[in-house]
Amino acid sequence: MTQVVVPAGVRHPRPRSGRARRFAPWLYLLPAAAVLLPIFGYPIYMLGLLSVFDYRQAQVSGGEPTSFIGLANYLTLLEDDKFWSILAQTVFFAAALVIATLAVGATLAVVLTRAGRWPRLLLSFAAMAAWAAPAMTGSTVWMFLFDADLGLVNQVLGIDGFNWFYDKWVTFGVVGATVVWHSFPFVMVVLYAGIQAIPPSVREAASLDGASEWQSFWRVVVPMLRPLITIVVIQSVIWDFKIFTQIYVMTNGGGIAGQNSVLNVYAYQTAFGSSEYGLGSAIGVVMTLILLVITLFYIRALYRTGERL
């Protein structure tokens, strides 16, 4: 047996204890946490602080003193029928967006697995271009496409003068299509990678057992992709629940009489449109808590798939 000779003066590294190994990842996160915690923590702290004060334009200008009112702003929200209506509208709109995004992304992921090299490259490039486009730019382009007088959509359909942003549900449909156009590439890429990671022998075994292509997809591929599907769904819920840019830009601040408002737009208009900064901050806190609950589900889904944070 060959004996390893250790030079003089060289010490063997001591094995780390279990506690050291447990805390080592957190030590690596400290530099990033030192930067990110103040950036995100201070605005959240100020949001919560303003939500418990009577803070309006009079207090901003110094005409009246700022007074502590506790949970009065939250009680105002609980008694506000408009708040509950917009919250329900936000939830249903976000749910529809998540379903549509998942359907489009999953369908195109399957198409990518069947397409040839050049069609696959073109589709991937087009999807990445949609994903990389800023929300403001994409919203402006879609507004121009659906313009009542100069829009390409009206010209192609032969319905000149039709206003796509007058009816509440038609407007939600156009805005929803814009959001899905921005969001589906993430779902497509994740699910495509998941499908490619499935060993071909698994589907071949299902085919030998007599399963058709459709049965093989639903009974073999989809169950194996369930962890990824869970992650993309929860991520999409977070994105779509806090939608702001597309609604605000395409409906000019929420549509006719605020019929297309969502919670984020309502908070913005309450704070900066009506100068009710304390009440707007309370809406922001409610949104933050809702998203925190969704994020906890997201983290739990990551752990269940074996990911490490």
Side-chain angles (χ1 to χ4, degrees):
M1 180 181 294
T2 304
Q3 184 176 2
V4 178
V5 179
V6 180
V10 177
R11 297 181 179 180
H12 289 285
R14 294 181 179 180
R16 290 182 177 181
S17 62
R19 179 176 298 179
R21 288 196 301 268
R22 190 182 310 117
F23 287 102
W26 297 102
L27 293 177
Y28 291 122
L29 291 176
L30 280 180
V35 176
L36 295 178
L37 285 180
I39 293 177
F40 292 101
Y42 181 73
I44 293 176
Y45 164 75
M46 289 302 300
L47 189 71
L49 184 64
L50 289 178
S51 69
V52 294
F53 280 89
D54 181 16
Y55 197 70
R56 295 169 292 171
Q57 188 60 41
Q59 284 75 23
V60 174
S61 60
E64 295 181 10
T66 303
S67 58
F68 177 78
I69 58 175
L71 300 178
N73 284 324
Y74 296 97
L75 294 177
T76 301
L77 291 180
L78 292 177
E79 298 171 355
D80 186 6
D81 293 336
K82 184 178 180 180
F83 168 76
W84 289 107
S85 175
I86 292 178
L87 175 60
Q89 187 165 273
T90 304
V91 171
F92 285 115
F93 185 50
L97 291 178
V98 171
I99 294 173
T101 303
L102 183 62
V104 174
T107 300
L108 292 179
V110 175
V111 170
L112 282 178
T113 62
R114 304 295 183 88
R117 178 183 179 184
W118 289 110
R120 183 169 62 250
L121 288 176
L122 290 175
L123 178 57
S124 300
F125 178 78
M128 292 302 102
W131 197 7
M136 178 70 74
T137 304
S139 301
T140 304
V141 171
W142 277 71
M143 282 182 64
F144 182 76
L145 290 174
F146 286 89
D147 185 78
D149 300 318
L150 303 175
L152 179 63
V153 175
N154 278 1
Q155 295 179 12
V156 171
L157 298 178
I159 49 175
D160 295 339
F162 180 76
N163 190 346
W164 292 86
F165 300 99
Y166 180 78
D167 181 77
K168 175 180 179 178
W169 302 112
V170 174
T171 302
F172 269 130
V174 176
V175 176
T178 307
V179 177
V180 171
W181 176 74
H182 277 289
S183 305
F184 84 84
F186 171 75
V187 178
M188 182 190 76
V189 170
V190 172
L191 295 186
Y192 173 68
I195 294 174
Q196 291 296 99
I198 297 176
S201 58
V202 174
R203 302 190 68 173
E204 291 175 0
S207 178
L208 292 176
D209 289 339
S212 62
E213 284 289 330
W214 184 256
Q215 292 173 330
S216 175
F217 178 78
W218 281 106
R219 297 184 180 181
V220 177
V221 176
V222 171
M224 296 184 72
L225 293 179
R226 189 174 290 117
L228 290 178
I229 294 174
T230 302
I231 292 174
V232 298
V233 166
I234 297 176
Q235 186 72 59
S236 298
V237 169
I238 295 173
W239 286 344
D240 295 334
F241 185 80
K242 61 184 183 67
I243 180 176
F244 175 82
T245 303
Q246 291 88 344
I247 286 285
Y248 192 82
V249 172
M250 300 182 71
T251 66
N252 195 23
I256 301 173
Q259 63 180 4
N260 295 107
S261 287
V262 291
L263 207 55
N264 224 351
V265 174
Y266 182 54
Y268 177 84
Q269 291 176 335
T270 301
F272 298 101
S274 303
S275 298
E276 294 280 354
Y277 302 107
L279 188 60
S281 298
I283 299 173
V285 171
V286 172
M287 285 193 61
T288 302
L289 293 177
I290 294 174
L291 290 176
L292 180 61
V293 172
I294 298 174
T295 303
L296 292 177
F297 279 105
Y298 176 59
I299 294 175
R300 182 183 178 188
L302 287 177
Y303 272 111
R304 292 183 64 182
T305 59
E307 298 281 349
R308 292 293 180 183
L309 299 178

